[in-house]
Amino acid sequence: MSKGEKMERLDLYRCNICGNLVEVILVGGGELVCCGQPMQKVNGQNREEAIFEKHIPVFVKNENNKDEVRVGEVLHPMTEEHYIMFIETVSEDKNHVQLQYLHPGQEPKMLIEEKLGKTLAREFCNLHGLWEGQSD
């Protein structure tokens, strides 16, 4: 964590040595440390060209008219070498979170149990890191 950077609830931090990824549930006053080094905050990417790369989470109605998040307009590959590790949705007020872990071979989709207004979706690709998308 860099000097002056304020930690917030639901921020993600990663260890640059072992790869541990942690999410802040409650903010305390300390510094997150792993393998003897400060952990680095992970910021989500949301570049327009990422749609072609199949990384941006998108909100859609599925064939049963239910809300779901899909990773990519064209679904992201889910091979042993390159896959989405998890999808998470966060309500705008950060009071409601839904998390689904994924594994190679599964479709990179998550059914939204309860949509509570504007929602952030984020996913973590094992090769390309954290990506974000917003609902309408």
Side-chain angles (χ1 to χ4, degrees), residues 69 71 84 86-88 98-100 102 108-110 122:
V69 174
V71 179
I84 301 305
F86 68 83
I87 300 171
E88 180 178 51
Q98 183 180 339
L99 175 69
Q100 180 173 323
L102 299 168
K109 300 177 182 180
M110 180 178 80
R122 53 189 182 180

Side-chain angles (χ1 to χ4, degrees), residues 113-133:
E113 292 174 11
E114 183 179 12
K115 193 170 176 190
L116 301 164
K118 192 166 181 117
T119 303
L120 172 73
R122 53 189 182 180
E123 60 87 353
F124 198 86
C125 173
N126 72 316
L127 296 180
H128 302 108
L130 186 67
W131 295 82
E132 298 179 340

Side-chain angles (χ1 to χ4, degrees), residues 39-134:
M39 297 183 82
Q40 300 297 307
K41 183 177 178 184
V42 179
N43 293 308
Q45 304 172 71
N46 56 15
R47 297 181 304 218
E48 281 187 30
E49 64 269 20
I51 292 172
F52 177 72
E53 294 175 23
K54 304 174 186 136
H55 284 103
I56 297 292
V58 292
F59 290 80
V60 298
K61 292 274 189 197
N62 68 14
E63 55 279 353
N64 297 320
N65 205 34
K66 305 265 186 191
D67 292 314
E68 74 179 18
V69 174
R70 294 181 181 178
V71 179
E73 294 284 341
V74 174
L75 291 179
H76 186 283
M78 292 294 285
T79 65
E80 291 286 335
E81 300 79 27
H82 186 195
Y83 65 99
I84 301 305
M85 300 175 83
F86 68 83
I87 300 171
E88 180 178 51
T89 58
V90 179
S91 64
E92 191 170 27
D93 61 8
K94 294 186 177 183
N95 287 329
H96 301 277
V97 177
Q98 183 180 339
L99 175 69
Q100 180 173 323
Y101 291 100
L102 299 168
H103 304 284
Q106 293 181 303
E107 288 191 311
K109 300 177 182 180
M110 180 178 80
L111 193 60
I112 299 173
E113 292 174 11
E114 183 179 12
K115 193 170 176 190
L116 301 164
K118 192 166 181 117
T119 303
L120 172 73
R122 53 189 182 180
E123 60 87 353
F124 198 86
C125 173
N126 72 316
L127 296 180
H128 302 108
L130 186 67
W131 295 82
E132 298 179 340
Q134 289 275 351

